[in-house]
Amino acid sequence: MNHLTFTALADPHRFQIVELLRARPLSVGEIADQLNLRQPQTSKHLRVLSDAGLITVHPQANRRICHLQPTAFHDLDDWLGRYRSLWEARLDRLDDYLRSLPPEETHQATDPTEPGDSP
């Protein structure tokens, strides 16, 4: 697991870029427009994402098109999977504990509309 992944995603603008690219590849200009950033700022953020292996940038005529790099997200999912199993084991123990508790007595609720009851 590359620690640069977390550093790259920690920035709100870079996180938003990744979210935008989930839908489809976008040009640098489209990303800048959607995030209300200047193109040089956007390019700097894209460089960090690219260096972290989260995106690839391909030239297409006079535009640069950004794509998510699935491998980086598979690596992230693999790393998170180790912690997912930890939580699943804890939730299983909680489930076992809750099953071991005696059943609660059922309480009969009274109808608040019956005469003699105060609101």
Side-chain angles (χ1 to χ4, degrees):
M1 179 68 225
N2 186 350
H3 76 281
L4 293 176
T5 302
F6 291 106
T7 304
L9 292 173
D11 180 87
H13 287 118
R14 291 191 290 265
F15 186 82
Q16 288 176 326
I17 290 169
V18 168
E19 288 297 304
L20 288 173
L21 293 175
R22 279 184 35 212
R24 65 183 176 90
L26 296 169
S27 71
V28 175
E30 290 171 318
I31 293 169
D33 289 345
Q34 289 191 35
L35 296 180
N36 290 326
L37 294 173
R38 287 187 237 140
Q39 195 158 342
Q41 288 176 294
T42 304
S43 293
K44 286 181 184 180
H45 287 304
L46 293 171
R47 169 65 65 167
V48 173
L49 291 169
S50 179
D51 289 347
L54 293 166
I55 67 165
T56 56
V57 181
H58 302 285
Q60 188 179 68
N62 63 343
R63 300 170 21 164
R64 291 175 36 228
I65 307 299
C66 304
H67 302 262
L68 287 181
Q69 183 62 33
T71 307
F73 294 96
H74 292 298
D75 293 345
L76 181 59
D77 187 53
D78 290 344
W79 183 81
L80 287 171
R82 293 182 276 176
Y83 295 92
R84 205 174 290 120
S85 64
L86 172 81
W87 279 106
E88 287 171 357
R90 289 180 181 183
L91 290 172
D92 287 344
R93 287 196 307 269
L94 175 61
D95 192 40
D96 291 343
Y97 171 74
L98 293 174
R99 285 189 183 135
S100 73
L101 295 175
E104 290 186 274
E105 293 180 342
T106 350
H107 297 286
Q108 198 87 18
T110 59
D111 185 357
T113 59
E114 287 184 20
D117 288 345
S118 20

